[in-house]
Amino acid sequence: MARAAAENESGPSAVFPLQAGRAAAMPRLLALDERGELTAAHVRLVAQALGKTERTVWRWLAAARQDQRFARVEASRFTVTAEIRRLLALWGGNAPRVHAS
């Protein structure tokens, strides 16, 4: 009992790597959902195995239902190109001015 209390205080620890676990769990949870068999216990089990909250797993399920997205979508990153460097030098490092031009 003391061990369970200690685990709850520090939060769940992941059993599987997050990306691999999410990609493996989402199709199974969706299949259960389509058959009407998905329960909060299923979501709780996945959340505990991945070290995430149940709310996070429910959000993942909502995204998977909407566009069949089983893994995280990587956001595009801003890249400083040679042209941007030239404009930054021209405008003395004034990023808003570079953006406006």
Side-chain angles (χ1 to χ4, degrees), residues 86-99:
R86 186 188 69 74
L87 290 170
L88 282 168
L90 175 70
W91 293 106
N94 186 341
R97 182 66 186 128
V98 170
H99 181 72

Side-chain angles (χ1 to χ4, degrees), residues 9-101:
E9 290 175 4
S10 64
S13 58
V15 177
F16 297 103
L18 180 57
Q19 295 305 322
R22 178 179 178 179
M26 286 301 105
R28 179 69 178 138
L29 291 177
L30 276 179
L32 288 168
D33 188 39
E34 288 171 2
R35 293 193 313 259
E37 299 174 4
L38 181 65
T39 65
H42 293 115
V43 172
R44 190 174 308 113
L45 181 64
V46 169
Q48 288 173 349
L50 298 179
K52 293 294 179 181
T53 64
E54 291 176 42
R55 178 69 190 125
T56 297
V57 177
W58 284 116
R59 281 194 308 265
W60 291 349
L61 273 168
R65 284 183 196 122
Q66 183 176 358
D67 57 7
Q68 296 295 309
R69 184 180 52 168
F70 300 137
R72 182 173 182 249
V73 175
E74 293 294 325
S76 61
R77 292 186 161 236
F78 178 76
T79 305
V80 178
T81 63
E83 176 65 12
I84 293 173
R85 284 179 197 261
R86 186 188 69 74
L87 290 170
L88 282 168
L90 175 70
W91 293 106
N94 186 341
R97 182 66 186 128
V98 170
H99 181 72
S101 63

